[in-house]
Amino acid sequence: MRIIHYIDGIKAGNLLSDYFLRLTTAQKEHADVRTVTRKDNFKKLLTDYHPDIVHIHTCWDYQAATYAKRAAKQGCAVVFSPHWALDERSRTTEQKRTKQLKALLYQMKMVQRVDALLVTTERERQHILQLGWTKRIDVVADSVLNSQLSDDNMAQQTIAFYRKVLDTRYQFAMTAMEKDAIPSLLHAGLARETTHNLLPSDQLLNLRSLNPEQWRRILLYADDEGIRDIVDNSISRLQLHAPAIDTAAIQRYILLSPKETESVDSKKLTGNQPLIRQRLNDNLKQEDALLKEIATMMANTRQVERKDTLSLRLLADLYTTIKYNDYDEDRLAELLRHMRIYRYSRRIIQLLADKIHLKEGFMPFPPLNDRRTKGIVRRNFTQIH
């Protein structure tokens, strides 16, 4: 793990400086650590060093906020320790009006944008929670003020905090190989065919080339997308040497916007859709139960997707229903047109082709890869939720 610590300056006999020096010195036994102050060239180090974590120790300073923003833009995880500078007393008794202005201009945004805050006491944590700026706050005691805590123990707890941050934002670290593995795993895991050639040789080789750290990220992603059972089935069927990782035991923050993973095939039409419901009922006969199920799933998928919470689980359910059932494809297209979601359904078919490798022979109608399709992908599958 590569870490950059930023502090405004180091002063002899200063408690914050003593803490900073003890922490960074002890961390060097467990990670690659660099320290930066105001007089150093932070931008050059950030570009040359490519850190995993940037830890900011300076509050109410515009330059520190700028560095935090720059590090985040370069894909680094950014954490912030305000060192009691955000508690009520500090905000209201020392340069009150100046800090109110700074809070509006940049300090609140900085707190909201960083991945998490690290404080040294539960009391400090409660003070910051009362601000309502963030809920991602962890506590690691200060060995300078706590004689029962060694510097090494403090360093190890802080690194565990960094790992929690990195495991929460693991998608930023996913490589093209890992991203390419997901559709292959879904395709093989959902297959009902008994053939041994479930995947082309290049896709199979890609899966067999994954290392344990890559599998860790893939399995975390599978948990968040509600597809862990499918991925586990694929690993078993393809006899892949994936590590046995209990991802539920990995410490992570609660996702800001969790995905919808409850199956849509058993739901009624969600949301306020009386017109769609009426069009569906008007255009169906009693024996068209399967067409009604597919149409309902499409309508529900649109409702979920509009909230930016569409998951691979829901696409997997659609994939299975569309691929492994017999129905009148022309009749389905007619029904979806009557419901005025035909073009949207074509976009979903494009997603099934891209995300699970649905083949042309199993598509009920042509896929549509337009600007709105790309928007669905961007909002639902390229952001950290």
Side-chain angles (χ1 to χ4, degrees):
M1 185 182 295
R2 297 183 302 276
I3 308 163
I4 288 179
H5 287 273
Y6 173 80
I7 191 170
D8 182 43
I10 297 175
K11 303 173 184 177
N14 178 269
L15 279 176
L16 174 55
S17 297
D18 289 347
Y19 163 85
F20 183 86
L21 292 172
R22 284 198 188 189
L23 175 65
T24 54
T25 301
Q27 280 187 350
K28 288 178 181 178
E29 297 296 321
H30 308 280
D32 189 353
V33 178
R34 306 291 175 89
T35 61
V36 184
T37 64
R38 179 182 288 271
K39 65 181 182 180
D40 299 315
N41 192 333
F42 178 87
K43 298 176 185 178
K44 186 177 188 305
L45 180 60
L46 186 67
T47 302
D48 296 344
Y49 183 52
H50 301 293
D52 300 301
I53 293 279
V54 172
H55 192 157
I56 305 290
H57 295 267
T58 302
C59 192
W60 303 115
D61 179 76
Y62 180 70
Q63 182 166 294
T66 301
Y67 287 168
K69 186 176 180 179
R70 179 181 292 273
K73 281 188 175 181
Q74 289 196 201
C76 306
V78 182
V79 299
F80 173 46
S81 290
H83 298 290
W84 285 97
L86 290 179
D87 75 298
E88 185 177 3
R89 181 178 178 182
S90 175
R91 288 183 292 106
T92 58
T93 63
E94 303 170 8
Q95 300 179 326
K96 178 180 178 179
R97 291 186 178 180
T98 300
K99 287 181 178 178
Q100 286 177 339
L101 181 60
K102 288 181 176 181
L104 291 173
L105 290 176
Y106 61 84
Q107 193 60 66
M108 179 175 67
K109 291 178 182 177
M110 175 188 173
V111 171
Q112 292 172 338
R113 286 172 178 167
V114 299
D115 291 282
L117 268 62
L118 183 66
V119 299
T120 56
T121 69
E122 178 59 28
R123 184 183 172 192
E124 184 183 6
R125 178 176 175 272
Q126 292 302 322
H127 274 286
I128 299 173
L129 285 173
Q130 289 173 11
L131 286 173
W133 295 354
T134 184
K135 294 182 179 179
R136 292 184 171 183
I137 311 172
D138 271 64
V139 179
V140 173
D142 179 352
S143 63
V144 176
L145 301 177
N146 186 343
S147 59
Q148 296 181 344
L149 180 70
S150 68
D151 292 351
D152 185 69
N153 194 272
M154 176 178 65
Q156 290 192 51
Q157 288 184 43
T158 307
I159 289 174
F161 160 73
Y162 297 157
R163 171 53 70 180
K164 180 179 179 180
V165 169
L166 293 173
D167 282 334
T168 301
R169 67 191 311 277
Y170 64 89
Q171 288 188 45
F172 285 106
M174 290 185 76
T175 62
M177 181 185 293
E178 294 160 59
K179 294 174 182 177
D180 289 343
I182 303 296
S184 301
L185 289 167
L186 281 173
H187 184 81
L190 292 169
R192 295 182 181 178
E193 298 86 353
T194 57
T195 176
H196 293 291
N197 300 319
L198 293 173
L199 294 174
S201 58
D202 60 327
Q203 293 180 26
L204 194 56
L205 179 62
N206 181 44
L207 293 174
R208 288 175 175 166
S209 301
L210 295 167
N211 62 44
E213 191 63 26
Q214 290 174 313
W215 274 115
R216 177 189 176 95
R217 289 191 288 266
I218 287 172
L219 295 179
L220 286 171
Y221 185 72
D223 280 356
D224 291 342
E225 293 289 333
I227 56 170
R228 180 61 188 269
D229 58 326
I230 303 172
V231 170
D232 286 343
N233 183 46
S234 184
I235 291 170
S236 176
R237 294 188 70 178
L238 298 173
Q239 298 181 348
L240 301 173
H241 297 293
I245 300 174
D246 180 10
T247 48
I250 295 176
Q251 292 293 311
R252 294 194 290 159
Y253 293 105
I254 297 174
L255 297 179
L256 300 176
S257 181
K259 292 294 194 75
E260 174 59 69
T261 58
E262 181 183 352
S263 177
V264 294
D265 62 352
S266 60
K267 289 183 178 180
K268 297 179 180 179
L269 283 170
T270 59
N272 184 21
Q273 304 183 76
L275 184 58
I276 289 180
R277 186 182 294 106
Q278 185 62 45
R279 288 171 180 157
L280 177 60
N281 293 332
D282 287 348
N283 210 45
L284 281 177
K285 300 176 183 178
Q286 186 68 31
E287 61 270 20
D288 288 335
L290 181 57
L291 293 181
K292 181 176 182 179
E293 180 182 357
I294 297 174
T296 301
M297 292 174 73
M298 284 293 186
N300 283 336
T301 297
R302 185 172 70 165
Q303 290 299 105
V304 172
E305 180 270 313
R306 284 177 170 176
K307 300 175 184 176
D308 300 341
T309 57
L310 180 60
S311 68
L312 289 177
R313 177 85 241 182
L314 302 192
L315 292 183
D317 293 340
L318 264 171
Y319 172 93
T320 301
T321 304
I322 287 171
K323 182 177 180 180
Y324 293 111
N325 284 289
D326 293 323
Y327 50 89
D328 187 328
E329 295 179 354
D330 293 335
R331 182 89 171 100
L332 175 62
E334 177 188 347
L335 173 60
L336 294 171
R337 286 192 182 95
H338 186 73
M339 296 171 66
R340 298 184 182 176
I341 57 172
Y342 176 67
R343 286 180 65 83
Y344 179 82
S345 299
R346 289 180 60 196
R347 295 182 183 109
I348 295 300
I349 294 300
Q350 181 67 52
L351 262 63
L352 296 183
D354 294 340
K355 301 296 182 183
I356 318 181
H357 296 324
L358 180 67
K359 304 302 181 184
E360 184 177 348
F362 296 98
M363 296 179 181
F365 34 77
L368 178 61
N369 189 17
D370 62 1
R371 178 177 56 84
R372 293 190 178 181
T373 307
K374 293 178 174 64
I376 293 172
V377 174
R378 183 180 65 255
R379 295 190 306 273
N380 292 271
F381 298 106
T382 60
Q383 298 179 355
I384 300 294
H385 289 260

